[in-house]
Amino acid sequence: MAANNGDVLMLEAAPEVARPWASAANAEVIDALPYIDDDYGNPLIKSEVDRLVEEEMRRSSKKPADFLKDLPPLPKFDFENCPILGKEYERVRAGKPPVRIDFESRYKLEMPPASKRNDDAAWKLYLQKNQRSLQQKLIELENLELMSKHGPELWRQNNHRLEVFLSRMQRLAQEQNVEIEKVNRERKYHQQTTSYELNALSQEWRQLCVKNMEIQSACAMLETQIDSFKREAAERGWNLEEKLENVQPLQTQ
């Protein structure tokens, strides 16, 4: 944060230790004063700034694809604890269509093949398999009954927890917005207060620049006159160096 006699004029984000790409060596100080700088609304200045940005981009050896090289690599998802999710992730990544769930075969009663219709052991095996499937369907029906009985209350409790969490997040966001607004008001007040001094110093700087240019112009004219006098003296055969040595320096009163 930059300050002028303790007043907040502009903000500079401190680089984090955990982010080496945002070190102090690579940090750029934002010296804009948006509350008092009127140049941003000038279309001529905007066009000149756009031209300079485009020219710098043309000269830059960095390509848009290189801008993220300084950042740490993205974490790899191996889905060790959830292989089913990992398999689905690879399917979506490969662009394959989702696997269709066959509901018909799931609820279909299985029969022995035609070649084993007279085999009692095969009938017993398929009978046990169908009994297990029927028992699973009964358990699913019981789960649906329990869900219809207790599910609404569980959803209400979960919605209540989500509403409490949402209220807390909204309160934190509101507190942050209040702090941001406070900082913005301080920046605006201090920039507008300091603008008078900045304008006075800017005007003084312009006057000094004009005076310096006038002095440089006068010096150039004097140097031209001196050179002209030297050429005229050389044409008349006068030795100016000898005459200057005989001149007595002025005595201060």
Side-chain angles (χ1 to χ4, degrees), residues 72-176:
L74 294 175
K76 295 183 179 179
F77 300 98
D78 48 11
F79 301 102
E80 294 181 356
N81 300 326
C82 189
I84 298 178
L85 185 60
K87 185 178 179 180
E88 185 67 13
Y89 174 78
E90 293 298 333
R91 180 194 67 78
V92 175
R93 186 178 181 182
K96 298 180 180 179
V99 179
R100 182 177 178 272
I101 300 177
D102 189 4
F103 291 99
E104 295 180 359
S105 61
R106 181 176 182 182
Y107 298 104
K108 185 178 180 181
L109 185 64
E110 296 185 9
M111 300 287 290
S115 60
K116 296 183 179 181
R117 293 291 173 86
N118 297 325
D119 189 355
D120 293 340
W123 277 103
K124 290 180 180 180
L125 180 63
Y126 276 88
L127 178 61
Q128 293 175 357
K129 188 175 182 180
N130 289 325
Q131 287 176 345
R132 288 194 297 268
S133 178
L134 178 60
Q135 185 62 33
Q136 181 180 358
K137 302 304 181 292
L138 292 175
I139 294 175
E140 292 177 357
L141 288 175
E142 292 178 357
N143 289 334
L144 291 175
E145 291 177 358
L146 291 173
M147 183 181 295
S148 63
K149 182 178 180 180
H150 303 286
E153 182 62 27
L154 292 176
W155 275 107
R156 281 192 290 268
Q157 293 179 5
N158 184 60
N159 290 338
H160 177 69
R161 288 193 295 268
L162 292 177
E163 289 175 355
V164 173
F165 179 75
L166 176 62
S167 300
R168 185 160 60 90
M169 291 295 101
Q170 288 177 344
R171 185 177 67 255
L172 292 176
Q174 185 177 4
E175 292 175 358
Q176 292 297 324

Side-chain angles (χ1 to χ4, degrees), residues 197-244:
E197 181 181 358
L198 292 177
N199 292 333
L201 292 174
S202 179
Q203 184 66 23
E204 183 180 357
W205 174 78
R206 292 191 183 92
Q207 293 177 357
L208 291 176
C209 289
V210 172
K211 288 183 179 179
N212 287 336
M213 288 187 292
E214 292 176 353
I215 292 173
Q216 290 178 355
S217 177
C219 291
M221 292 178 61
L222 291 175
E223 289 177 355
T224 303
Q225 292 180 0
I226 291 174
D227 293 338
S228 176
F229 292 155
K230 286 183 178 179
R231 287 194 300 271
E232 183 179 354
E235 293 175 356
R236 297 185 180 185
W238 294 347
N239 189 355
L240 294 180
E241 299 295 336
E242 181 180 354
K243 292 182 178 296
L244 290 175

